[in-house]
Amino acid sequence: MERVPAWLAARESYEPRPDRGRHLEKSLLALLHVLAALREAPGAGKDGARLNPALKLVSTFLVILLVSLSRGGLFLEAAAAFELGWLCLLRGETIARVLRRVLAAGLFALAILLPAYALGRGANLPFVCGKVLLALLAAAIFSSATGWPSMAAAFSTLRVPDVFVMTLDMTVKYISLLGALLLDMLCALKLRSVGRDERKMSSLAGLAGTLFLKSKDAAWAQYQAMECRCFDGRYAVSRRAGLGWRDAAFVAADLAIVAFFVAAGWGR
Amino acid sequence: MHIPDNYLGPATCAVMAVAVVPAWVVSAKKVAKELSREKVPLLGIGAAFSFLIMMLNVPVPGGTTAHAVGGTLLAVLLGPYAACISISTALLIQALVFGDGGILSFGANCFNMAFVIPFLGYFIYKFAKDRARSRRGEYIGLAIASYIAINFAALCGAIEFGLQPLVARDTAGLPLYCPYPLSVSIPAMLIPHLTLAGVAEAAFTVAIVAFVAKASPGIVYVGSPVKTKPLYALVVALVVASPLGLLAAGSAWGEWAPDAIKGVVTGGKSLGFVPAGLEKGFRFPAPMQDYGLKGLPDILGYILSAVLGVAVFIIAYKLLGLLKKGGKDDAMKAGA
């Protein structure tokens, strides 16, 4: 029977040095959040799916613009009523998602603006915060109630050039694909990280560099697939034809908010 | 650096949107001319890469982390024009889908991050690279380029914020949007970028380009050489135009001479006295005080000061270049 070599029999005690860096955990969390947001929750697409997405996009932009132009609290109350009226038509899960996002962003905005009190410039703070919250709410309602394919259809309806819509569509799809790859690489790096990493930047650069090289490969494969399918520059996005009574009611609500803005002295 | 809605007024948002449109148009035309058909999907995938890069947390000194923007990185890897389109696309998706950055302020965000960072970073890097004698010199140039680019973008953002109390007030004189003046917004934006974010951006950019260049050397964007004649022409034009500064009457804020500070008005009241430290403190008798020479008209004094200043910088830079060791030529001679 062979004897166990001395180096194998030696007693080993390894205490890994602690590492303060949390960059991997933060990157993982941020990426998971993004991938979860891109993956539609079951049934989420049904909220507002019966409305024309181009109308929703234009309406969102209009409300944000009017809120930004307003100089008095009267119009802000009307805008709040309009947005909350739209919000209450959505499902409970969507409302919860929207409110979570708006409240988090609103608290952050408040934290940034609060020092203005110390500088003696805080008298208008509630008004400014109200505008920030309403703009965030309008954008959050639009993105929660509109799936990405509908957003792409909205751009197509608004006669945005095909190459731009195709680039946007490809971007979202590849954020999911490359994001999943980056997630796997971050997990692999995390699992292999024991003790203190003295070359954190080098590790991260390796991940990002590999991601870039994979992106190049993916772009080449995408082009070849497009050539094989005789892509000729036209990019068709499926769009709903025509407008229904819901769209007409939505347009009427938009016109009402514009009329209120004018009647309130152009937002004063 | 993503500016949300209602921190900038609609007028500022409109101006910034108009300012960035020419960059988009030129970039789209250049991309169409430079990119062959097989590289068209790279725009969308480049935008996805740009988006994901902004998700990564980069470790910085002090144990904390910062987000890199990667504008100069993308400009070096894909070219500045493709980087502009890719970053703009990523910013649009961030604004619409994730609410990161406003919809009205989309133009301002694109101006700062999709125009200023890639173009400034790329041209500084190219300028340094064409003159560097070694790979290390190129990477130093790249680090400086990305550091300057992100800080300049932060400065642009700070100016956009700081102008709001001046340009948008209600009838009571209260600010309608960002309430912080330039004296607050500039240090608030620049200090974190000069210290943490700029360092993270520079280190991140150099590390990734070094990795990609090592793993796949032919893949990095190679643009046409930067023409320096237009730059020299610009410097000459600026030297000739320097006397325009004489048109601005009075001193800049914080640059008053001891005899002038007595009359400075703040809050409706003039100071009325000269602080003792200013009156009796250290004074250095500069050879060309206030950019002028005794007996010489102010305009000629300004032009002469400009010529002297530019000449001193160029001479110093060229002398520093001579002092660099371990250049490519030396390495080639050693290998021969």
Side-chain angles (χ1 to χ4, degrees):
Chain A
M1 193 168 110
E2 287 205 27
R3 290 177 65 185
V4 171
W7 62 266
L8 193 59
R11 197 173 179 79
E12 194 177 302
S13 66
Y14 168 61
E15 285 295 326
R17 288 162 67 201
D19 194 343
R20 269 191 306 174
R22 293 190 59 238
H23 61 290
L24 287 181
E25 288 93 344
K26 284 185 180 177
S27 301
L28 274 166
L29 280 171
L31 201 47
L32 282 168
H33 172 73
V34 160
L35 293 177
L38 281 176
R39 209 178 307 125
E40 274 191 6
K46 288 183 185 165
D47 274 327
R50 286 173 280 192
L51 284 174
N52 189 297
L55 267 182
K56 284 194 279 182
L57 181 61
V58 169
S59 171
T60 304
F61 181 79
L62 185 70
V63 167
I64 292 176
L65 179 64
L66 293 179
V67 163
S68 187
L69 286 169
S70 70
R71 295 182 170 227
L74 184 61
F75 178 74
L76 290 192
E77 288 172 19
F82 177 82
E83 290 183 21
L84 291 174
W86 190 5
L87 186 66
C88 74
L89 295 174
L90 306 177
R91 292 172 314 115
E93 296 93 335
T94 312
I95 292 174
R97 197 163 58 236
V98 166
L99 288 178
R100 262 200 305 269
R101 193 194 293 184
V102 169
L103 284 173
L107 283 170
F108 181 73
L110 196 65
I112 291 193
L113 293 172
L114 266 177
Y117 269 121
L119 295 171
R121 293 168 174 266
N124 235 9
L125 202 57
F127 177 66
V128 175
C129 282
K131 286 167 71 166
V132 169
L133 278 172
L134 284 172
L136 285 169
L137 184 60
I141 291 172
F142 173 71
S143 67
S144 293
T146 314
W148 177 253
S150 301
M151 280 196 216
F155 282 114
S156 184
T157 307
L158 294 170
R159 301 287 183 257
V160 171
D162 279 351
V163 67
F164 182 69
V165 178
M166 182 186 79
T167 302
L168 275 179
D169 214 4
M170 216 181 286
T171 303
V172 172
K173 288 181 169 80
Y174 274 93
I175 287 173
S176 289
L177 290 171
L178 293 174
L181 173 70
L182 185 60
L183 192 68
D184 288 342
M185 288 198 288
L186 279 167
C187 286
L189 181 60
K190 178 112 181 81
L191 286 169
R192 286 162 178 74
S193 299
V194 178
R196 177 171 289 183
D197 182 0
E198 304 290 351
R199 297 168 58 209
K200 291 187 181 67
M201 191 59 77
S202 172
S203 315
L204 218 55
L207 289 185
T210 305
L211 188 69
F212 174 71
L213 295 172
K214 293 282 185 191
S215 305
K216 280 268 190 174
D217 292 341
W220 175 241
Q222 174 76 26
Y223 164 71
Q224 287 184 313
M226 286 159 73
E227 280 282 285
C228 287
R229 286 155 181 79
C230 304
F231 177 68
D232 60 358
R234 282 178 297 172
Y235 189 72
V237 178
S238 69
R239 296 185 250 170
R240 255 187 56 227
L243 299 169
W245 66 267
R246 288 184 182 84
D247 300 315
F250 197 70
V251 169
D254 280 336
L255 290 173
I257 198 85
V258 173
F260 194 95
F261 180 79
V262 173
W266 296 91
R268 284 183 211 282
Chain B
M1 216 187 288
H2 294 66
I3 303 174
D5 275 324
N6 287 300
Y7 282 76
L8 303 181
T12 309
C13 292
V15 164
M16 299 313 298
V18 165
V20 82
V21 162
W24 286 336
V25 168
V26 169
S27 295
K29 285 184 179 168
K30 283 280 189 178
V31 159
K33 198 171 138 188
E34 280 182 0
L35 279 194
S36 49
R37 260 175 62 144
E38 67 256 24
K39 290 185 185 164
V40 168
L42 190 58
L43 279 181
I45 296 170
F49 174 74
S50 153
F51 180 96
L52 290 168
I53 284 295
M54 291 194 223
M55 293 288 108
L56 289 175
N57 279 264
V58 180
V60 293
T64 185
T65 59
H67 278 288
V69 176
T72 307
L73 169 68
L74 278 166
V76 168
L77 293 175
L78 299 175
Y81 305 104
C84 178
I85 304 284
S86 295
I87 297 173
S88 301
T89 309
L91 289 172
L92 181 63
I93 287 167
Q94 285 176 329
L96 282 178
V97 181
F98 300 98
D100 193 6
I103 289 174
L104 285 186
S105 54
F106 174 67
N109 285 323
C110 283
F111 182 86
N112 298 339
M113 287 189 277
F115 170 60
V116 168
I117 296 181
F119 283 96
L120 184 63
Y122 179 77
F123 286 115
I124 294 176
Y125 164 66
K126 205 74 174 64
F127 186 81
K129 183 177 181 259
D130 291 343
R131 282 148 190 81
R133 295 184 188 187
S134 67
R135 186 56 65 90
R136 180 183 285 192
E138 287 178 26
Y139 290 149
I140 292 174
L142 178 59
I144 292 171
S146 50
Y147 183 81
I148 291 176
I150 194 170
N151 279 288
F152 197 77
L155 178 63
C156 291
I159 292 172
E160 288 152 21
F161 280 128
L163 286 177
Q164 299 313 299
L166 295 171
V167 303
R169 294 171 183 265
D170 61 10
T171 46
L174 296 169
L176 286 168
Y177 304 101
C178 174
Y180 301 116
L182 288 165
S183 56
V184 172
S185 66
I186 290 178
M189 288 283 286
L190 278 186
I191 289 171
H193 284 87
L194 284 168
T195 51
L196 296 175
V199 170
E201 181 85 1
F204 194 56
T205 303
V206 169
I208 295 175
V209 170
F211 176 88
V212 172
K214 199 171 162 186
S216 188
I219 218 167
V220 178
Y221 175 78
V222 175
S224 47
V226 170
K227 293 179 191 151
T228 49
K229 279 189 187 162
L231 283 176
Y232 286 124
L234 176 65
V235 168
V236 168
L238 289 172
V239 164
V240 169
S242 58
L244 286 172
L246 289 164
L247 291 173
S251 307
W253 197 92
E255 292 185 16
W256 310 287
D259 49 349
I261 199 170
K262 207 159 58 168
V264 169
V265 174
T266 309
K269 292 183 196 168
S270 70
L271 189 61
F273 70 98
V274 179
L278 269 176
E279 203 171 11
K280 291 169 184 143
F282 172 75
R283 283 199 202 183
F284 173 69
M288 290 185 78
Q289 190 71 34
D290 296 326
Y291 304 102
L293 273 176
K294 228 181 206 179
L296 203 66
D298 286 345
I299 292 177
L300 285 178
Y302 259 61
I303 292 177
L304 194 62
S305 305
V307 168
L308 279 168
V310 167
V312 164
F313 274 117
I314 291 176
I315 290 166
Y317 176 74
K318 288 188 176 178
L319 287 174
L320 277 171
L322 283 176
L323 286 173
K324 262 165 47 73
K325 287 179 188 165
K328 279 179 196 163
D329 292 340
D330 291 347
M332 281 172 67
K333 280 178 194 164

